[in-house]
Amino acid sequence: MKEKLRAHIENIILLRDDEFAHILSHFSFETFKKNDFLIHEGDQVKFCYLIVTGLLKLVYDDKNGKQHIVSFAMEDWWESDFSAYFSQTNAKMSLQCIEDTTVFSLSFANYQKLAAESPKMKQFFLEKSNSGHIASQNRILSFLTSSAKERYEQLLNQYPLLFQRVPKTLLASYLGVSRETLSRLSS
């Protein structure tokens, strides 16, 4: 599994063997079962996660008890309640496995340590963060400017594997439509 972490990092920066060994020592490898929670709303967020295998959903439960899918995360993606992770506060969202999942977890303390010690990792984290901000802004713009059908088609074109792996009820929540509307959009 460590080869997957190295390949992921080396998509952005190149590492010597000794550099990678040092970086690897800051991560933990964990396995979770389908429906397990990595983060519960209200808990302190201690880790961010690089998904090695599996699929996760980041959800927000509103005051009426309605669950909103904020994001999905599959192989080679990072996920957490990043606001709570970086501010070291309690989670406003929950992170749950949709499939059996393996991850590399990185504590906030180890994130800070790696960023301070390694200019290469600081650059890596900056590029990953920028990519995440761009994706988040694109999702917001999609909700502001696109119809439900256009959002559906964008998601299908960008992440066709999600449609094979995610139940339609969850896809509907992510797109901000009812299950019935999603059925109409997909026909």
PDB file of all heavy atoms in Angstrom, residues 79-114:
ATOM      1  N   GLU A  79     -10.091  13.394   1.970  1.00  0.00           N
ATOM      2  CA  GLU A  79     -11.371  13.843   2.538  1.00  0.00           C
ATOM      3  C   GLU A  79     -11.258  13.996   4.045  1.00  0.00           C
ATOM      4  O   GLU A  79     -10.486  13.304   4.704  1.00  0.00           O
ATOM      5  CB  GLU A  79     -12.496  12.866   2.192  1.00  0.00           C
ATOM      6  CG  GLU A  79     -13.875  13.438   2.451  1.00  0.00           C
ATOM      7  CD  GLU A  79     -14.154  14.715   1.685  1.00  0.00           C
ATOM      8  OE1 GLU A  79     -13.846  15.803   2.230  1.00  0.00           O
ATOM      9  OE2 GLU A  79     -14.672  14.630   0.560  1.00  0.00           O
ATOM     10  N   SER A  80     -12.048  14.934   4.554  1.00  0.00           N
ATOM     11  CA  SER A  80     -12.201  15.199   5.982  1.00  0.00           C
ATOM     12  C   SER A  80     -13.240  16.303   6.106  1.00  0.00           C
ATOM     13  O   SER A  80     -13.726  16.829   5.093  1.00  0.00           O
ATOM     14  CB  SER A  80     -10.866  15.655   6.596  1.00  0.00           C
ATOM     15  OG  SER A  80     -10.979  15.730   8.007  1.00  0.00           O
ATOM     16  N   ASP A  81     -13.595  16.651   7.316  1.00  0.00           N
ATOM     17  CA  ASP A  81     -14.290  17.911   7.553  1.00  0.00           C
ATOM     18  C   ASP A  81     -13.149  18.908   7.698  1.00  0.00           C
ATOM     19  O   ASP A  81     -12.631  19.140   8.791  1.00  0.00           O
ATOM     20  CB  ASP A  81     -15.148  17.826   8.823  1.00  0.00           C
ATOM     21  CG  ASP A  81     -15.892  19.112   9.127  1.00  0.00           C
ATOM     22  OD1 ASP A  81     -15.415  20.195   8.716  1.00  0.00           O
ATOM     23  OD2 ASP A  81     -16.933  19.051   9.795  1.00  0.00           O
ATOM     24  N   PHE A  82     -12.714  19.473   6.577  1.00  0.00           N
ATOM     25  CA  PHE A  82     -11.485  20.255   6.564  1.00  0.00           C
ATOM     26  C   PHE A  82     -11.571  21.510   7.416  1.00  0.00           C
ATOM     27  O   PHE A  82     -10.576  21.930   8.010  1.00  0.00           O
ATOM     28  CB  PHE A  82     -11.058  20.587   5.129  1.00  0.00           C
ATOM     29  CG  PHE A  82     -10.465  19.406   4.419  1.00  0.00           C
ATOM     30  CD1 PHE A  82     -11.146  18.784   3.394  1.00  0.00           C
ATOM     31  CD2 PHE A  82      -9.228  18.898   4.790  1.00  0.00           C
ATOM     32  CE1 PHE A  82     -10.607  17.685   2.745  1.00  0.00           C
ATOM     33  CE2 PHE A  82      -8.671  17.794   4.156  1.00  0.00           C
ATOM     34  CZ  PHE A  82      -9.365  17.192   3.130  1.00  0.00           C
ATOM     35  N   SER A  83     -12.720  22.118   7.505  1.00  0.00           N
ATOM     36  CA  SER A  83     -12.867  23.286   8.364  1.00  0.00           C
ATOM     37  C   SER A  83     -12.546  22.924   9.808  1.00  0.00           C
ATOM     38  O   SER A  83     -11.792  23.627  10.497  1.00  0.00           O
ATOM     39  CB  SER A  83     -14.286  23.852   8.247  1.00  0.00           C
ATOM     40  OG  SER A  83     -14.463  24.929   9.120  1.00  0.00           O
ATOM     41  N   ALA A  84     -13.087  21.821  10.272  1.00  0.00           N
ATOM     42  CA  ALA A  84     -12.839  21.373  11.639  1.00  0.00           C
ATOM     43  C   ALA A  84     -11.407  20.855  11.802  1.00  0.00           C
ATOM     44  O   ALA A  84     -10.779  21.071  12.849  1.00  0.00           O
ATOM     45  CB  ALA A  84     -13.846  20.300  12.032  1.00  0.00           C
ATOM     46  N   TYR A  85     -10.878  20.195  10.795  1.00  0.00           N
ATOM     47  CA  TYR A  85      -9.513  19.663  10.840  1.00  0.00           C
ATOM     48  C   TYR A  85      -8.508  20.802  11.000  1.00  0.00           C
ATOM     49  O   TYR A  85      -7.672  20.778  11.894  1.00  0.00           O
ATOM     50  CB  TYR A  85      -9.240  18.861   9.569  1.00  0.00           C
ATOM     51  CG  TYR A  85      -7.845  18.309   9.413  1.00  0.00           C
ATOM     52  CD1 TYR A  85      -7.416  17.213  10.161  1.00  0.00           C
ATOM     53  CD2 TYR A  85      -6.960  18.858   8.485  1.00  0.00           C
ATOM     54  CE1 TYR A  85      -6.141  16.688   9.993  1.00  0.00           C
ATOM     55  CE2 TYR A  85      -5.690  18.330   8.313  1.00  0.00           C
ATOM     56  CZ  TYR A  85      -5.283  17.254   9.067  1.00  0.00           C
ATOM     57  OH  TYR A  85      -4.011  16.721   8.906  1.00  0.00           O
ATOM     58  N   PHE A  86      -8.618  21.816  10.136  1.00  0.00           N
ATOM     59  CA  PHE A  86      -7.629  22.889  10.168  1.00  0.00           C
ATOM     60  C   PHE A  86      -7.820  23.849  11.337  1.00  0.00           C
ATOM     61  O   PHE A  86      -6.864  24.468  11.791  1.00  0.00           O
ATOM     62  CB  PHE A  86      -7.595  23.641   8.839  1.00  0.00           C
ATOM     63  CG  PHE A  86      -6.914  22.865   7.758  1.00  0.00           C
ATOM     64  CD1 PHE A  86      -7.629  22.379   6.683  1.00  0.00           C
ATOM     65  CD2 PHE A  86      -5.557  22.593   7.813  1.00  0.00           C
ATOM     66  CE1 PHE A  86      -7.005  21.641   5.687  1.00  0.00           C
ATOM     67  CE2 PHE A  86      -4.922  21.851   6.830  1.00  0.00           C
ATOM     68  CZ  PHE A  86      -5.648  21.378   5.764  1.00  0.00           C
ATOM     69  N   SER A  87      -9.032  23.964  11.850  1.00  0.00           N
ATOM     70  CA  SER A  87      -9.257  24.833  13.008  1.00  0.00           C
ATOM     71  C   SER A  87      -9.225  24.052  14.322  1.00  0.00           C
ATOM     72  O   SER A  87      -9.335  24.633  15.392  1.00  0.00           O
ATOM     73  CB  SER A  87     -10.595  25.569  12.869  1.00  0.00           C
ATOM     74  OG  SER A  87     -11.670  24.650  12.861  1.00  0.00           O
ATOM     75  N   GLN A  88      -9.065  22.716  14.204  1.00  0.00           N
ATOM     76  CA  GLN A  88      -9.037  21.820  15.360  1.00  0.00           C
ATOM     77  C   GLN A  88     -10.251  22.036  16.257  1.00  0.00           C
ATOM     78  O   GLN A  88     -10.147  22.212  17.472  1.00  0.00           O
ATOM     79  CB  GLN A  88      -7.725  21.970  16.128  1.00  0.00           C
ATOM     80  CG  GLN A  88      -6.540  21.342  15.409  1.00  0.00           C
ATOM     81  CD  GLN A  88      -6.698  19.836  15.260  1.00  0.00           C
ATOM     82  OE1 GLN A  88      -6.357  19.093  16.171  1.00  0.00           O
ATOM     83  NE2 GLN A  88      -7.220  19.358  14.134  1.00  0.00           N
ATOM     84  N   THR A  89     -11.418  22.019  15.612  1.00  0.00           N
ATOM     85  CA  THR A  89     -12.692  22.155  16.302  1.00  0.00           C
ATOM     86  C   THR A  89     -13.535  20.915  16.038  1.00  0.00           C
ATOM     87  O   THR A  89     -13.099  19.994  15.356  1.00  0.00           O
ATOM     88  CB  THR A  89     -13.446  23.414  15.815  1.00  0.00           C
ATOM     89  OG1 THR A  89     -13.634  23.319  14.399  1.00  0.00           O
ATOM     90  CG2 THR A  89     -12.674  24.683  16.154  1.00  0.00           C
ATOM     91  N   ASN A  90     -14.742  20.914  16.554  1.00  0.00           N
ATOM     92  CA  ASN A  90     -15.625  19.770  16.377  1.00  0.00           C
ATOM     93  C   ASN A  90     -16.250  19.758  14.991  1.00  0.00           C
ATOM     94  O   ASN A  90     -16.533  20.810  14.412  1.00  0.00           O
ATOM     95  CB  ASN A  90     -16.711  19.768  17.445  1.00  0.00           C
ATOM     96  CG  ASN A  90     -16.137  19.521  18.822  1.00  0.00           C
ATOM     97  OD1 ASN A  90     -15.033  18.999  18.970  1.00  0.00           O
ATOM     98  ND2 ASN A  90     -16.868  19.906  19.837  1.00  0.00           N
ATOM     99  N   ALA A  91     -16.482  18.562  14.509  1.00  0.00           N
ATOM    100  CA  ALA A  91     -17.018  18.363  13.167  1.00  0.00           C
ATOM    101  C   ALA A  91     -18.446  18.880  13.047  1.00  0.00           C
ATOM    102  O   ALA A  91     -19.263  18.686  13.945  1.00  0.00           O
ATOM    103  CB  ALA A  91     -16.985  16.881  12.805  1.00  0.00           C
ATOM    104  N   LYS A  92     -18.725  19.502  11.918  1.00  0.00           N
ATOM    105  CA  LYS A  92     -20.089  19.881  11.569  1.00  0.00           C
ATOM    106  C   LYS A  92     -20.695  18.845  10.630  1.00  0.00           C
ATOM    107  O   LYS A  92     -21.884  18.862  10.360  1.00  0.00           O
ATOM    108  CB  LYS A  92     -20.092  21.249  10.898  1.00  0.00           C
ATOM    109  CG  LYS A  92     -19.682  22.373  11.826  1.00  0.00           C
ATOM    110  CD  LYS A  92     -19.814  23.717  11.153  1.00  0.00           C
ATOM    111  CE  LYS A  92     -19.451  24.812  12.108  1.00  0.00           C
ATOM    112  NZ  LYS A  92     -18.121  25.346  11.908  1.00  0.00           N
ATOM    113  N   MET A  93     -19.822  17.960  10.127  1.00  0.00           N
ATOM    114  CA  MET A  93     -20.247  16.949   9.171  1.00  0.00           C
ATOM    115  C   MET A  93     -19.743  15.579   9.638  1.00  0.00           C
ATOM    116  O   MET A  93     -18.897  15.490  10.515  1.00  0.00           O
ATOM    117  CB  MET A  93     -19.678  17.271   7.785  1.00  0.00           C
ATOM    118  CG  MET A  93     -20.185  18.590   7.226  1.00  0.00           C
ATOM    119  SD  MET A  93     -19.464  18.998   5.616  1.00  0.00           S
ATOM    120  CE  MET A  93     -17.928  19.776   6.118  1.00  0.00           C
ATOM    121  N   SER A  94     -20.279  14.544   8.999  1.00  0.00           N
ATOM    122  CA  SER A  94     -19.851  13.175   9.271  1.00  0.00           C
ATOM    123  C   SER A  94     -19.253  12.582   7.997  1.00  0.00           C
ATOM    124  O   SER A  94     -19.682  12.911   6.893  1.00  0.00           O
ATOM    125  CB  SER A  94     -21.038  12.310   9.705  1.00  0.00           C
ATOM    126  OG  SER A  94     -21.591  12.795  10.907  1.00  0.00           O
ATOM    127  N   LEU A  95     -18.277  11.704   8.185  1.00  0.00           N
ATOM    128  CA  LEU A  95     -17.642  11.016   7.063  1.00  0.00           C
ATOM    129  C   LEU A  95     -17.879   9.529   7.252  1.00  0.00           C
ATOM    130  O   LEU A  95     -17.474   8.952   8.263  1.00  0.00           O
ATOM    131  CB  LEU A  95     -16.145  11.342   7.034  1.00  0.00           C
ATOM    132  CG  LEU A  95     -15.328  10.781   5.879  1.00  0.00           C
ATOM    133  CD1 LEU A  95     -15.854  11.284   4.530  1.00  0.00           C
ATOM    134  CD2 LEU A  95     -13.856  11.151   6.044  1.00  0.00           C
ATOM    135  N   GLN A  96     -18.571   8.921   6.273  1.00  0.00           N
ATOM    136  CA  GLN A  96     -19.007   7.523   6.410  1.00  0.00           C
ATOM    137  C   GLN A  96     -18.637   6.722   5.170  1.00  0.00           C
ATOM    138  O   GLN A  96     -18.687   7.226   4.042  1.00  0.00           O
ATOM    139  CB  GLN A  96     -20.512   7.483   6.622  1.00  0.00           C
ATOM    140  CG  GLN A  96     -21.053   6.100   6.896  1.00  0.00           C
ATOM    141  CD  GLN A  96     -22.542   6.094   7.145  1.00  0.00           C
ATOM    142  OE1 GLN A  96     -23.269   6.989   6.744  1.00  0.00           O
ATOM    143  NE2 GLN A  96     -23.018   5.046   7.801  1.00  0.00           N
ATOM    144  N   CYS A  97     -18.318   5.457   5.397  1.00  0.00           N
ATOM    145  CA  CYS A  97     -17.972   4.545   4.296  1.00  0.00           C
ATOM    146  C   CYS A  97     -19.228   4.083   3.563  1.00  0.00           C
ATOM    147  O   CYS A  97     -20.181   3.622   4.193  1.00  0.00           O
ATOM    148  CB  CYS A  97     -17.241   3.313   4.829  1.00  0.00           C
ATOM    149  SG  CYS A  97     -15.668   3.669   5.613  1.00  0.00           S
ATOM    150  N   ILE A  98     -19.203   4.173   2.254  1.00  0.00           N
ATOM    151  CA  ILE A  98     -20.242   3.596   1.404  1.00  0.00           C
ATOM    152  C   ILE A  98     -19.840   2.171   1.020  1.00  0.00           C
ATOM    153  O   ILE A  98     -20.678   1.315   0.783  1.00  0.00           O
ATOM    154  CB  ILE A  98     -20.455   4.459   0.144  1.00  0.00           C
ATOM    155  CG1 ILE A  98     -20.952   5.856   0.545  1.00  0.00           C
ATOM    156  CG2 ILE A  98     -21.436   3.806  -0.827  1.00  0.00           C
ATOM    157  CD1 ILE A  98     -21.022   6.839  -0.616  1.00  0.00           C
ATOM    158  N   GLU A  99     -18.546   1.924   0.985  1.00  0.00           N
ATOM    159  CA  GLU A  99     -17.973   0.612   0.693  1.00  0.00           C
ATOM    160  C   GLU A  99     -16.910   0.322   1.754  1.00  0.00           C
ATOM    161  O   GLU A  99     -16.470   1.233   2.458  1.00  0.00           O
ATOM    162  CB  GLU A  99     -17.277   0.614  -0.675  1.00  0.00           C
ATOM    163  CG  GLU A  99     -18.143   0.951  -1.851  1.00  0.00           C
ATOM    164  CD  GLU A  99     -17.351   1.120  -3.142  1.00  0.00           C
ATOM    165  OE1 GLU A  99     -16.096   1.152  -3.132  1.00  0.00           O
ATOM    166  OE2 GLU A  99     -18.013   1.247  -4.183  1.00  0.00           O
ATOM    167  N   ASP A 100     -16.459  -0.935   1.835  1.00  0.00           N
ATOM    168  CA  ASP A 100     -15.273  -1.223   2.635  1.00  0.00           C
ATOM    169  C   ASP A 100     -14.160  -0.314   2.112  1.00  0.00           C
ATOM    170  O   ASP A 100     -14.011  -0.148   0.889  1.00  0.00           O
ATOM    171  CB  ASP A 100     -14.855  -2.680   2.491  1.00  0.00           C
ATOM    172  CG  ASP A 100     -15.818  -3.642   3.165  1.00  0.00           C
ATOM    173  OD1 ASP A 100     -16.726  -3.198   3.901  1.00  0.00           O
ATOM    174  OD2 ASP A 100     -15.659  -4.865   2.948  1.00  0.00           O
ATOM    175  N   THR A 101     -13.391   0.271   3.022  1.00  0.00           N
ATOM    176  CA  THR A 101     -12.466   1.334   2.642  1.00  0.00           C
ATOM    177  C   THR A 101     -11.147   1.200   3.385  1.00  0.00           C
ATOM    178  O   THR A 101     -11.127   0.858   4.564  1.00  0.00           O
ATOM    179  CB  THR A 101     -13.099   2.711   2.964  1.00  0.00           C
ATOM    180  OG1 THR A 101     -14.321   2.841   2.241  1.00  0.00           O
ATOM    181  CG2 THR A 101     -12.186   3.861   2.605  1.00  0.00           C
ATOM    182  N   THR A 102     -10.054   1.478   2.678  1.00  0.00           N
ATOM    183  CA  THR A 102      -8.742   1.591   3.309  1.00  0.00           C
ATOM    184  C   THR A 102      -8.217   2.998   3.052  1.00  0.00           C
ATOM    185  O   THR A 102      -8.452   3.568   1.975  1.00  0.00           O
ATOM    186  CB  THR A 102      -7.742   0.548   2.773  1.00  0.00           C
ATOM    187  OG1 THR A 102      -7.618   0.691   1.361  1.00  0.00           O
ATOM    188  CG2 THR A 102      -8.186  -0.859   3.103  1.00  0.00           C
ATOM    189  N   VAL A 103      -7.542   3.538   4.049  1.00  0.00           N
ATOM    190  CA  VAL A 103      -7.060   4.917   3.957  1.00  0.00           C
ATOM    191  C   VAL A 103      -5.679   5.054   4.579  1.00  0.00           C
ATOM    192  O   VAL A 103      -5.279   4.243   5.423  1.00  0.00           O
ATOM    193  CB  VAL A 103      -8.012   5.903   4.686  1.00  0.00           C
ATOM    194  CG1 VAL A 103      -9.406   5.895   4.071  1.00  0.00           C
ATOM    195  CG2 VAL A 103      -8.076   5.628   6.177  1.00  0.00           C
ATOM    196  N   PHE A 104      -4.988   6.093   4.163  1.00  0.00           N
ATOM    197  CA  PHE A 104      -3.860   6.610   4.910  1.00  0.00           C
ATOM    198  C   PHE A 104      -4.393   7.807   5.675  1.00  0.00           C
ATOM    199  O   PHE A 104      -4.999   8.702   5.083  1.00  0.00           O
ATOM    200  CB  PHE A 104      -2.712   7.047   3.995  1.00  0.00           C
ATOM    201  CG  PHE A 104      -1.860   5.914   3.518  1.00  0.00           C
ATOM    202  CD1 PHE A 104      -1.957   5.441   2.230  1.00  0.00           C
ATOM    203  CD2 PHE A 104      -0.936   5.324   4.379  1.00  0.00           C
ATOM    204  CE1 PHE A 104      -1.162   4.394   1.793  1.00  0.00           C
ATOM    205  CE2 PHE A 104      -0.142   4.276   3.952  1.00  0.00           C
ATOM    206  CZ  PHE A 104      -0.248   3.810   2.658  1.00  0.00           C
ATOM    207  N   SER A 105      -4.207   7.822   6.984  1.00  0.00           N
ATOM    208  CA  SER A 105      -4.672   8.953   7.795  1.00  0.00           C
ATOM    209  C   SER A 105      -3.467   9.791   8.208  1.00  0.00           C
ATOM    210  O   SER A 105      -2.381   9.268   8.467  1.00  0.00           O
ATOM    211  CB  SER A 105      -5.456   8.470   9.007  1.00  0.00           C
ATOM    212  OG  SER A 105      -4.679   7.614   9.800  1.00  0.00           O
ATOM    213  N   LEU A 106      -3.707  11.104   8.249  1.00  0.00           N
ATOM    214  CA  LEU A 106      -2.668  12.050   8.615  1.00  0.00           C
ATOM    215  C   LEU A 106      -3.217  12.958   9.708  1.00  0.00           C
ATOM    216  O   LEU A 106      -4.198  13.680   9.485  1.00  0.00           O
ATOM    217  CB  LEU A 106      -2.247  12.881   7.399  1.00  0.00           C
ATOM    218  CG  LEU A 106      -1.142  13.917   7.615  1.00  0.00           C
ATOM    219  CD1 LEU A 106       0.167  13.238   8.009  1.00  0.00           C
ATOM    220  CD2 LEU A 106      -0.951  14.751   6.352  1.00  0.00           C
ATOM    221  N   SER A 107      -2.614  12.894  10.886  1.00  0.00           N
ATOM    222  CA  SER A 107      -3.059  13.752  11.991  1.00  0.00           C
ATOM    223  C   SER A 107      -2.712  15.196  11.665  1.00  0.00           C
ATOM    224  O   SER A 107      -1.813  15.484  10.860  1.00  0.00           O
ATOM    225  CB  SER A 107      -2.392  13.341  13.306  1.00  0.00           C
ATOM    226  OG  SER A 107      -1.012  13.686  13.292  1.00  0.00           O
ATOM    227  N   PHE A 108      -3.413  16.104  12.315  1.00  0.00           N
ATOM    228  CA  PHE A 108      -3.134  17.520  12.101  1.00  0.00           C
ATOM    229  C   PHE A 108      -1.713  17.860  12.548  1.00  0.00           C
ATOM    230  O   PHE A 108      -1.004  18.608  11.875  1.00  0.00           O
ATOM    231  CB  PHE A 108      -4.167  18.390  12.825  1.00  0.00           C
ATOM    232  CG  PHE A 108      -3.978  19.849  12.571  1.00  0.00           C
ATOM    233  CD1 PHE A 108      -4.177  20.388  11.308  1.00  0.00           C
ATOM    234  CD2 PHE A 108      -3.577  20.695  13.591  1.00  0.00           C
ATOM    235  CE1 PHE A 108      -3.992  21.733  11.061  1.00  0.00           C
ATOM    236  CE2 PHE A 108      -3.391  22.045  13.358  1.00  0.00           C
ATOM    237  CZ  PHE A 108      -3.597  22.572  12.090  1.00  0.00           C
ATOM    238  N   ALA A 109      -1.282  17.296  13.669  1.00  0.00           N
ATOM    239  CA  ALA A 109       0.082  17.548  14.156  1.00  0.00           C
ATOM    240  C   ALA A 109       1.114  17.078  13.128  1.00  0.00           C
ATOM    241  O   ALA A 109       2.099  17.784  12.858  1.00  0.00           O
ATOM    242  CB  ALA A 109       0.301  16.856  15.497  1.00  0.00           C
ATOM    243  N   ASN A 110       0.896  15.902  12.536  1.00  0.00           N
ATOM    244  CA  ASN A 110       1.837  15.398  11.538  1.00  0.00           C
ATOM    245  C   ASN A 110       1.761  16.194  10.232  1.00  0.00           C
ATOM    246  O   ASN A 110       2.772  16.372   9.552  1.00  0.00           O
ATOM    247  CB  ASN A 110       1.624  13.913  11.290  1.00  0.00           C
ATOM    248  CG  ASN A 110       2.249  13.067  12.374  1.00  0.00           C
ATOM    249  OD1 ASN A 110       3.098  13.532  13.134  1.00  0.00           O
ATOM    250  ND2 ASN A 110       1.834  11.816  12.460  1.00  0.00           N
ATOM    251  N   TYR A 111       0.575  16.669   9.886  1.00  0.00           N
ATOM    252  CA  TYR A 111       0.442  17.557   8.725  1.00  0.00           C
ATOM    253  C   TYR A 111       1.307  18.809   8.928  1.00  0.00           C
ATOM    254  O   TYR A 111       2.093  19.190   8.055  1.00  0.00           O
ATOM    255  CB  TYR A 111      -1.026  17.935   8.529  1.00  0.00           C
ATOM    256  CG  TYR A 111      -1.237  19.082   7.574  1.00  0.00           C
ATOM    257  CD1 TYR A 111      -1.333  18.849   6.205  1.00  0.00           C
ATOM    258  CD2 TYR A 111      -1.325  20.392   8.041  1.00  0.00           C
ATOM    259  CE1 TYR A 111      -1.513  19.913   5.318  1.00  0.00           C
ATOM    260  CE2 TYR A 111      -1.499  21.452   7.169  1.00  0.00           C
ATOM    261  CZ  TYR A 111      -1.594  21.205   5.805  1.00  0.00           C
ATOM    262  OH  TYR A 111      -1.761  22.255   4.936  1.00  0.00           O
ATOM    263  N   GLN A 112       1.163  19.428  10.100  1.00  0.00           N
ATOM    264  CA  GLN A 112       1.936  20.635  10.389  1.00  0.00           C
ATOM    265  C   GLN A 112       3.435  20.344  10.392  1.00  0.00           C
ATOM    266  O   GLN A 112       4.232  21.130   9.865  1.00  0.00           O
ATOM    267  CB  GLN A 112       1.534  21.218  11.746  1.00  0.00           C
ATOM    268  CG  GLN A 112       0.180  21.873  11.738  1.00  0.00           C
ATOM    269  CD  GLN A 112      -0.144  22.497  13.079  1.00  0.00           C
ATOM    270  OE1 GLN A 112      -0.037  21.851  14.116  1.00  0.00           O
ATOM    271  NE2 GLN A 112      -0.528  23.762  13.050  1.00  0.00           N
ATOM    272  N   LYS A 113       3.798  19.220  10.968  1.00  0.00           N
ATOM    273  CA  LYS A 113       5.211  18.842  11.043  1.00  0.00           C
ATOM    274  C   LYS A 113       5.790  18.634   9.644  1.00  0.00           C
ATOM    275  O   LYS A 113       6.864  19.157   9.332  1.00  0.00           O
ATOM    276  CB  LYS A 113       5.346  17.571  11.890  1.00  0.00           C
ATOM    277  CG  LYS A 113       6.752  17.197  12.248  1.00  0.00           C
ATOM    278  CD  LYS A 113       6.753  15.997  13.200  1.00  0.00           C
ATOM    279  CE  LYS A 113       8.174  15.562  13.465  1.00  0.00           C
ATOM    280  NZ  LYS A 113       8.250  14.247  14.057  1.00  0.00           N
ATOM    281  N   LEU A 114       5.083  17.897   8.799  1.00  0.00           N
ATOM    282  CA  LEU A 114       5.568  17.665   7.437  1.00  0.00           C
ATOM    283  C   LEU A 114       5.677  18.965   6.642  1.00  0.00           C
ATOM    284  O   LEU A 114       6.648  19.187   5.919  1.00  0.00           O
ATOM    285  CB  LEU A 114       4.655  16.677   6.693  1.00  0.00           C
ATOM    286  CG  LEU A 114       4.845  15.213   7.015  1.00  0.00           C
ATOM    287  CD1 LEU A 114       3.761  14.387   6.326  1.00  0.00           C
ATOM    288  CD2 LEU A 114       6.226  14.732   6.592  1.00  0.00           C
TER     289      LEU A 114
END
